Amino acid sequence: MNIEQALFEAAVELIQKRYPTGWGGAAAMYTEDGTILTSVAPEVLNASTELCMETGAICEAHKLQKVVTHTICVVRDDERAAYKILTPCGVCQERLFYWGSKVKAAVYMPEGGLVYKTLDELQPFYWYRAYNQNQ
């Protein structure tokens, strides 16, 4: 099984465990040493304190000093619905750029399918290039 499919399956497994009914969403990240980190968005009372599903895995990677190479965010509307891939939001893309522009992120495709793009491809005009030509 390839990395991309393994991440999808890890996210789906967490969704099924954490959210057996109703809406569900989870993120999974692959690190340079082969570790898969998963996370969910914390449930909060005040919407202004929400965090993305990827945030927990990003923090875990920093804590463990791991280099993230791939990421995926998967959701479903309820336990009977098909799974959808969500492209990382701009904030999560910014967080992922810490590991460089070659990090691969799964992206939403209207026709479905598992497609990954590098952060370079998602943000060809990334702001940091004005300060560092290597990004």
Side-chain angles (χ1 to χ4, degrees):
M1 176 181 332
N2 66 27
I3 293 167
E4 291 86 355
Q5 188 64 41
L7 284 181
F8 176 79
E9 291 183 15
V12 167
E13 182 180 324
L14 179 54
I15 292 168
Q16 291 171 344
K17 180 179 178 183
R18 175 67 176 79
Y19 305 101
T21 60
W23 178 92
M29 294 186 185
Y30 189 82
T31 67
E32 197 172 60
D33 69 357
T35 302
I36 294 179
L37 305 171
T38 61
S39 58
V40 297
E43 295 177 25
V44 297
L45 296 176
N46 182 336
S48 69
T49 63
E50 290 178 349
L51 293 170
C52 297
M53 287 175 263
E54 298 96 330
T55 306
I58 289 169
C59 290
E60 188 75 2
H62 280 287
K63 180 184 89 176
L64 298 173
Q65 298 181 356
K66 306 274 186 182
V67 175
V68 172
T69 63
H70 294 72
T71 184
I72 191 170
C73 185
V74 181
V75 298
R76 63 151 201 244
D77 295 328
D78 61 44
E79 67 276 11
R80 293 172 301 285
Y83 291 97
K84 297 183 266 192
I85 308 298
L86 299 181
T87 305
C89 74
V91 172
C92 285
Q93 288 180 41
E94 191 68 35
R95 292 171 178 151
L96 291 163
F97 263 109
Y98 173 81
W99 292 288
S101 60
K102 301 305 179 203
V103 171
K104 292 183 178 181
V107 296
Y108 169 74
M109 301 298 286
E111 64 278 2
L114 195 52
V115 176
Y116 282 74
K117 301 284 185 182
T118 65
L119 293 177
D120 257 345
E121 293 172 299
L122 293 178
Q123 289 195 32
F125 304 102
Y126 184 54
W127 69 269
Y128 191 65
R129 289 190 181 96
Y131 299 98
N132 184 346
Q133 300 301 312
N134 297 323
Q135 283 288 325

